[in-house]
Amino acid sequence: MMIWEQLLKQRGNGIQHIPTAIVSEAVFMKNSVYGLILRLVSYGINTGLIEKEDIIYTQNRLLSLFHMDEPDDSCTRLTADNEDTLEEILSGLLDYAYEKGIIPENTVTYRDLFDVKLMASLVKRPSEVIREFWQNYSCSPKLATDSYYKFSCDTDYIRRYRIKKDLKWKTSTEYGDIDITVNLSKPEKDPKAIAAAKLQKQSGYPKCLLCKENEGYAGRVNHPARDNHRIIPLTIDGDNWFMQYSPYVYYNEHCIVFNGEHTPMVINDSTFRKLFDFISQFPHYIIGSNADLPIVGGSILTHEHFQGGRYSFALNRAEVERKFIVNGFDDVECGIVKWPMSVVRLTGKNKDSIISLSSHILKSWRAYTDADVGIFAETDGEIHNTITPIAFTKDGKFVIDLVLRNNITSEEHPLGVFHPHANLHHIKKENIGLIEVMGLAVLPSRLKDEMAILKDAILNHKDVSEIPKISKHSEWVNEFVSQYDEINENNIDSIIQNEIGKVFLNVLLDAGVFKRTSEGQKAFDKFIKTL
């Protein structure tokens, strides 16, 4: 009988005294390095990562990582460990590794490099993962992604215990409820790792974080470990592509679909074919692409990729506020979406017609200039207009949202005219990519501490401008505090969250090329007529 079963049996029989031998073994297993190894093996069994026939093999692989020749036979029973205790197990093993000099520094970077090696001992070979995925797919695409997502979490490639720490809430707006998240799951680089990375020889392998060569890569101080990473091969529009999940899932089943070749981001006719090819294979998912230009593009423009998943974003739920017709495309429903940014929605059952019209709109927008509202197709030979496309299915029809983007800069707005303006940088300064476009704010981790300091300052009537860490928020705080009759301990958190959400709404409004004004919407209609 396993030790945890013995403990449960004793308690279930109403016996308060648990035998000393059982307690001693339980404590030993929890704290000794071999006890932790056995708990990690048990985790693998309980999550289905390994089978009972793999126990000795996995145990020996883990022993070798700790330079141990043999196990301590004083405890041999498996445990009930699962995802709730994985962080504790890994933390104990990493502490031991540092104490024994197996990892050089007790920092997040070095601990992450080593704990991925530990988890890799529980992970199947790529061929097995791929075979299981397509076997599940033969039953249903949903079963395939459900199983693959669970696998990606169980292997700790997606660190569930970190993602749970992210701050998340919704803010109600006239455009629907938008999602706000303060990202705490992505570890910040520690100073020692940054210094070590500078001294390390620069490597071109893998070429970037999205390349297929990351699968099983051990990592280094300037590149994350991917020993426990497995990817699924896909054929998209006749080419070799792959699917994986984001290790920092910002929403449910946040997947990344990437080109098998390290080729730059591009938005062209083939982009629309690829997006619809993907959702034809995975109709329960949404898929979209960052734009292909700096400022309005994503963080990785050097490798063509899409982002998707199973989540209903505020943009997907937004309604069409006025419809229009494009000659020659009678089978496509066209409309302008009620959204802070400038979005054209195409809907229909014939995806080829939607793809064709999407290409026509892209070509027209690339060449479009309207100086009256500050839109220029190009200046000094530099192209400014592009599109952020998002494809999905709804009510048995294909849908694509085409978000019009422009990356022009000016003296007043050197980071981008259609980019968060300077008065919003205290909350959000980074590029507005695909995820934000759809209505999910990914805000920097610094805001967690700043929100706590702000809370104290507001409740105790402190001068925010005199507190260095939050002085950048002073003008904003003075503006919104005066709008509330009373701010107290009971409502301060919701007020701060709501006001941050309002700032993000203004971020999206700044990024819109046709403003949500009478003049802006007339200019939008003017563009539509050119189609």
Side-chain angles (χ1 to χ4, degrees), residues 4 14 29-30 36 54 79 118 137 146 172 179 196 215 281 333-334 377 411 433 486 490 501 513 531:
W4 60 274
M29 288 184 70
K30 186 172 183 178
L36 290 167
D54 303 320
T79 67
L118 298 177
Y137 185 91
D146 282 351
S172 180
D179 294 293
E215 186 175 40
Q281 297 179 57
E333 302 168 36
C334 310
E411 283 189 27
E486 182 182 3
N490 295 324
V513 292
L531 301 176

Coordinates of all heavy atoms in Angstrom, one line a residue, residues 4 14 29-30 36 54 79 118 137 146 172 179 196 215 281 333-334 377 411 433 486 490 501 513 531:
W4 N 0.7 7.4 1.0 CA -0.5 8.3 1.1 C -1.8 7.6 1.3 O -2.7 8.1 2.0 CB -0.5 9.2 -0.2 CG -0.7 8.5 -1.4 CD1 0.2 8.0 -2.2 CD2 -2.0 8.2 -2.1 NE1 -0.3 7.4 -3.4 CE2 -1.7 7.6 -3.3 CE3 -3.3 8.5 -1.8 CZ2 -2.6 7.1 -4.2 CZ3 -4.3 8.1 -2.7 CH2 -3.9 7.4 -3.8
G14 N -10.9 7.2 11.6 CA -11.1 8.0 12.8 C -10.0 7.8 13.8 O -10.1 8.3 14.9
M29 N 10.5 11.7 2.7 CA 10.2 11.7 1.3 C 10.0 13.2 0.8 O 10.4 13.6 -0.3 CB 9.0 10.9 0.9 CG 9.2 9.4 1.0 SD 7.7 8.5 0.4 CE 7.8 8.9 -1.3
K30 N 9.4 14.0 1.7 CA 9.1 15.4 1.3 C 10.4 16.2 1.3 O 10.5 17.1 0.5 CB 8.1 16.0 2.3 CG 7.7 17.4 2.0 CD 6.6 17.8 2.9 CE 6.1 19.2 2.5 NZ 5.0 19.7 3.3
L36 N 12.3 13.6 -3.1 CA 11.8 14.6 -4.1 C 11.9 14.0 -5.5 O 11.0 14.2 -6.3 CB 12.6 15.9 -4.0 CG 12.4 16.7 -2.7 CD1 13.5 17.8 -2.6 CD2 11.0 17.4 -2.8
D54 N 8.1 2.8 -17.0 CA 9.1 3.8 -17.1 C 9.8 4.3 -15.8 O 10.7 5.1 -15.8 CB 8.6 5.1 -17.8 CG 7.9 4.8 -19.1 OD1 8.5 4.0 -19.9 OD2 6.9 5.4 -19.5
T79 N 3.8 8.4 -4.6 CA 3.0 9.4 -3.8 C 1.9 9.9 -4.7 O 1.7 9.5 -5.9 CB 3.9 10.6 -3.4 OG1 4.3 11.3 -4.6 CG2 5.1 10.2 -2.7
L118 N 15.2 18.6 -15.6 CA 14.5 17.6 -14.7 C 13.2 17.2 -15.4 O 12.9 16.0 -15.4 CB 14.2 18.3 -13.4 CG 15.3 18.7 -12.5 CD1 14.9 19.4 -11.2 CD2 16.2 17.5 -12.2
Y137 N -6.6 13.4 -33.3 CA -7.2 14.3 -34.3 C -8.2 13.4 -35.2 O -9.2 13.9 -35.6 CB -6.2 14.9 -35.2 CG -6.7 15.9 -36.2 CD1 -6.8 17.2 -35.9 CD2 -7.1 15.5 -37.5 CE1 -7.3 18.2 -36.8 CE2 -7.6 16.4 -38.4 CZ -7.7 17.7 -38.0 OH -8.2 18.7 -38.9
D146 N -7.0 19.5 -27.0 CA -7.2 19.3 -25.5 C -6.1 18.5 -24.9 O -5.5 18.9 -23.9 CB -8.5 18.6 -25.2 CG -9.8 19.5 -25.4 OD1 -9.6 20.7 -25.5 OD2 -10.9 18.9 -25.3
S172 N -15.5 47.1 -18.2 CA -16.7 47.4 -19.1 C -16.5 48.7 -19.8 O -16.2 49.7 -19.3 CB -17.9 47.4 -18.2 OG -19.1 47.6 -19.0
D179 N -10.4 42.7 -21.7 CA -9.6 41.9 -20.7 C -8.3 42.7 -20.4 O -7.6 43.2 -21.3 CB -9.2 40.6 -21.3 CG -10.4 39.7 -21.5 OD1 -11.0 39.3 -20.5 OD2 -10.7 39.4 -22.7
A196 N 26.4 37.6 -17.6 CA 26.9 36.3 -18.2 C 26.6 36.2 -19.6 O 27.4 35.8 -20.4 CB 26.4 35.1 -17.4
E215 N 13.0 22.8 -30.3 CA 12.5 21.6 -29.7 C 13.6 20.7 -29.1 O 14.5 20.3 -29.8 CB 11.8 20.7 -30.8 CG 11.1 19.5 -30.2 CD 10.3 18.8 -31.3 OE1 10.8 18.7 -32.4 OE2 9.2 18.3 -31.0
Q281 N -8.9 23.3 -40.5 CA -8.4 22.1 -39.8 C -8.8 22.2 -38.3 O -9.0 21.1 -37.7 CB -6.9 22.0 -40.0 CG -6.4 21.9 -41.4 CD -4.9 21.8 -41.5 OE1 -4.3 20.9 -40.9 NE2 -4.3 22.7 -42.3
E333 N -20.7 39.1 -46.7 CA -21.2 40.2 -45.9 C -20.1 41.1 -45.4 O -19.1 40.6 -44.8 CB -22.0 39.6 -44.7 CG -23.1 38.6 -45.1 CD -23.6 37.9 -43.9 OE1 -23.6 38.4 -42.7 OE2 -23.9 36.7 -44.0
C334 N -20.2 42.4 -45.7 CA -19.1 43.3 -45.3 C -19.6 44.3 -44.3 O -20.8 44.8 -44.4 CB -18.6 44.0 -46.5 SG -18.2 43.0 -47.9
A377 N 0.3 56.5 -47.2 CA 0.7 55.2 -47.6 C 2.2 55.0 -47.5 O 2.7 53.9 -47.2 CB 0.2 54.9 -49.0
E411 N 7.2 64.3 -35.2 CA 8.0 64.9 -34.1 C 7.2 64.9 -32.8 O 7.7 64.6 -31.7 CB 8.3 66.4 -34.5 CG 9.4 66.6 -35.5 CD 9.8 68.1 -35.6 OE1 9.6 68.8 -34.6 OE2 10.3 68.4 -36.7
G433 N 0.1 44.9 -30.5 CA 0.2 43.8 -31.4 C -1.2 43.1 -31.4 O -2.2 43.6 -31.0
E486 N -16.4 59.0 -3.1 CA -15.7 58.4 -1.9 C -14.8 57.2 -2.4 O -15.2 56.4 -3.2 CB -16.7 57.8 -0.9 CG -16.1 57.2 0.3 CD -17.1 56.6 1.3 OE1 -18.3 56.6 1.0 OE2 -16.6 56.2 2.4
N490 N -12.7 49.5 0.7 CA -13.6 48.5 0.0 C -13.7 48.7 -1.5 O -14.0 47.7 -2.2 CB -15.1 48.6 0.6 CG -15.1 48.2 2.1 OD1 -14.4 47.3 2.5 ND2 -15.9 48.9 2.8
G501 N -8.1 50.0 -16.9 CA -8.8 49.5 -18.1 C -9.2 50.7 -19.0 O -9.1 50.6 -20.2
V513 N -6.7 54.1 -36.9 CA -6.3 55.0 -37.9 C -7.4 56.0 -38.3 O -7.2 57.1 -38.6 CB -5.8 54.2 -39.2 CG1 -4.5 53.5 -38.9 CG2 -6.8 53.3 -39.7
L531 N -13.2 50.9 -52.5 CA -13.1 49.4 -52.7 C -14.0 49.0 -53.9 O -13.9 47.9 -54.4 CB -13.5 48.7 -51.5 CG -12.7 48.9 -50.2 CD1 -13.3 48.2 -49.0 CD2 -11.2 48.5 -50.5

